[in-house]
């Protein structure tokens, strides 16, 4: 039985769902790791499952997707079977010039065994409708099934104190650029500044589905009178990041991490580009997809932290093609 049929068959007087232990605590609820996303952007949903059904292990997790969430793709999970259910969209979705009237509306991971005392995450991604006004709340209704009980997280009222709130995502202001592959409009925002430093042309390159690493590139200008250093970088897309230098040693191209960081001299511009200085995404958590962006936090010794969105171009992108050149004109 699909989740939509299950929900439709449940009357208020016939609910037999078991609640999770300590359900009065917000930390006991199945919830989303990130609770805000901009309209017109791709959202990577991470559902956090803190425990099972009244002491029992979770065997199945069902998710019903809300209207306004399009082109959904679940991530397979080792040891679990994955099924999707499709249905019509309430509002058609423009997917890179192709109008989509239906798509994935339900996802089910089953056949697993998540003990009550263990924590795990279930991941999927999709597009937030560009038509959604800021402040819209999207509810992802979730049902956990165990050996002899069920725990539902399906209340979409938004009322405080309910025992079974559906994981909620609040839409914030944003829009879709109609250039090329429909990358978010903020890819052309900037420059980004912190202290005397200005960052321009941040971009990355698309990776293969199972690639463990990726590259990041940008330009930093220091308009101040004192030197600074790019000490480190971090991103939710990677286990960790490193600042690297690539250079020729004889006939061999070698890459090494800069343990002391990358100097940004006063009054100078430093370009991070393929074949030279660059950022490395290590232990990628998901592929870098052309047309999307990935947020990176740069940490400078003196100026402090700066969050910059890197536009993801084609696998051979450079600063020009990643930000609106020919790489985004290919179909």
């Amino acid at each position: 039985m699909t989740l939509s049929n299950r929900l439709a068959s449940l009357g208020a007087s016939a609910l037999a769902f078991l609640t999770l232990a300590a359900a009065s605590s917000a930390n006991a609820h199945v919830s989303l790791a990130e609770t805000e996303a901009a309209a017109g952007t791709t959202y990577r949903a991470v559902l956090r499952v803190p425990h099972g059904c009244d002491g029992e292990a979770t065997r199945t997790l069902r998710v019903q997707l809300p209207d306004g969430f399009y082109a959904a793709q679940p991530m397979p999970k080792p040891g679990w079977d994955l099924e999707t259910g499709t249905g019509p969209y309430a509002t058609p979705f423009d997917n890179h010039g192709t109008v989509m009237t239906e798509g994935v509306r339900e996802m089910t991971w089953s056949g697993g065994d998540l003990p009550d005392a263990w924590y795990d995450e279930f991941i999927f991604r999709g597009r937030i409708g560009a038509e959604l006004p800021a402040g819209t709340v999207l509810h992802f209704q979730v049902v956990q099934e165990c050996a002899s009980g069920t725990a539902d997280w399906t209340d979409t009222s938004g009322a405080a104190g309910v025992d079974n709130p559906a994981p909620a995502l609040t839409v914030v202001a944003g829009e879709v650029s109609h250039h090329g592959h429909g990358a978010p409009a903020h890819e052309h925002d900037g420059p980004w500044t912190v202290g005397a430093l200005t960052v321009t042309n941040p971009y990355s390159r698309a990776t293969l589905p199972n690639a463990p690493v990726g590259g990041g590139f940008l330009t930093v200008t220091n308009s101040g009178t004192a030197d600074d250093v790019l000490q480190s970088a971090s991103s939710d897309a990677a286990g960790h990041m490193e600042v690297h230098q690539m250079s020729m040693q004889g006939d061999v191209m070698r890459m090494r991490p800069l343990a002391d960081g990358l100097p940004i001299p006063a009054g100078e511009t430093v370009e991070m580009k393929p074949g030279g200085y660059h950022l490395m995404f290590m232990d990628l958590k998901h592929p870098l997809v052309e047309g999307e962006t990935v947020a990176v936090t740069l940490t400078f010794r003196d100026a402090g932290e700066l969050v910059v969105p890197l536009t993801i171009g084609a696998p051979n992108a450079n600063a020009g093609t990643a930000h609106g050149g020919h790489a985004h004109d290919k179909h």
Side-chain angles (χ1 to χ4, degrees):
M1 180 184 294
T2 65
L3 179 55
S4 57
N5 289 337
R6 176 183 290 276
L7 294 175
S9 68
L10 293 176
S13 61
L15 288 178
F17 295 126
L18 298 176
T19 60
L20 295 180
S24 60
S25 167
N27 292 332
H29 303 156
V30 171
S31 61
L32 290 166
E34 298 292 337
T35 58
E36 290 187 351
T41 63
T42 297
Y43 172 68
R44 182 174 182 267
V46 179
L47 278 174
R48 303 180 295 189
V49 179
H51 48 62
C53 318
D54 197 26
E56 293 186 335
T58 300
R59 303 288 178 81
T60 298
L61 192 82
R62 303 182 186 275
V63 183
Q64 182 169 315
L65 306 179
D67 291 330
F69 189 76
Y70 305 103
Q73 296 176 297
M75 181 179 289
K77 192 171 186 65
W80 296 71
D81 297 323
L82 176 60
E83 296 180 3
T84 59
T86 60
Y89 291 139
T91 303
F93 168 60
D94 183 355
N95 184 22
H96 310 320
T98 299
V99 177
M100 297 176 62
T101 60
E102 65 177 10
V104 173
R105 303 304 308 273
E106 297 179 4
M107 302 173 179
T108 302
W109 289 266
S110 62
D113 184 25
L114 176 58
D116 175 68
W118 292 6
Y119 166 91
D120 206 346
E121 297 176 341
F122 294 77
I123 300 172
F124 56 95
R125 71 175 186 175
R127 195 77 172 172
I128 307 297
E131 77 281 3
L132 299 179
T136 299
V137 178
L138 301 179
H139 291 96
F140 296 80
Q141 294 179 293
V142 178
V143 170
Q144 289 175 263
E145 295 180 4
C146 302
S148 59
T150 308
D152 76 297
W153 308 100
T154 57
D155 189 301
T156 61
S157 66
V162 297
D163 288 336
N164 62 329
L169 174 69
T170 300
V171 178
V172 297
E175 59 181 6
V176 174
S177 166
H178 295 288
H179 174 78
H181 287 289
H186 66 205
E187 72 167 343
H188 297 299
D189 288 348
W192 295 263
T193 61
V194 59
L197 305 181
T198 300
V199 173
T200 55
N201 293 328
Y203 71 99
S204 184
R205 290 173 163 180
T207 62
L208 295 174
N210 296 316
V213 299
F217 316 97
L218 49 86
T219 299
V220 185
T221 299
N222 186 348
S223 60
T225 58
D227 296 345
D228 208 332
V229 176
L230 174 58
Q231 293 182 313
S232 63
S234 62
S235 173
D236 289 341
H240 69 284
M241 294 186 70
E242 296 177 356
V243 182
H244 277 214
Q245 179 183 24
M246 186 173 287
S247 60
M248 294 296 298
Q249 296 183 9
D251 296 329
V252 180
M253 180 72 77
R254 298 190 182 278
M255 182 170 60
R256 66 182 181 91
L258 299 178
D260 297 325
L262 175 62
I264 313 294
E268 295 189 18
T269 294
V270 177
E271 183 180 6
M272 306 183 76
K273 61 183 180 180
Y277 299 122
H278 58 279
L279 302 173
M280 284 294 293
F281 294 84
M282 313 295 287
D283 301 325
L284 279 172
K285 297 179 181 179
H286 54 84
L288 301 179
V289 179
E290 182 179 357
E292 298 182 1
T293 61
V294 58
V296 171
T297 300
L298 306 174
T299 301
F300 296 95
R301 183 192 62 197
D302 300 324
E305 291 188 351
L306 177 65
V307 179
V308 177
L310 275 60
T311 301
I312 302 173
N316 63 343
N318 56 39
T321 59
H323 287 276
H326 298 295
H328 279 288
D329 296 327
K330 296 178 182 179
H331 297 279

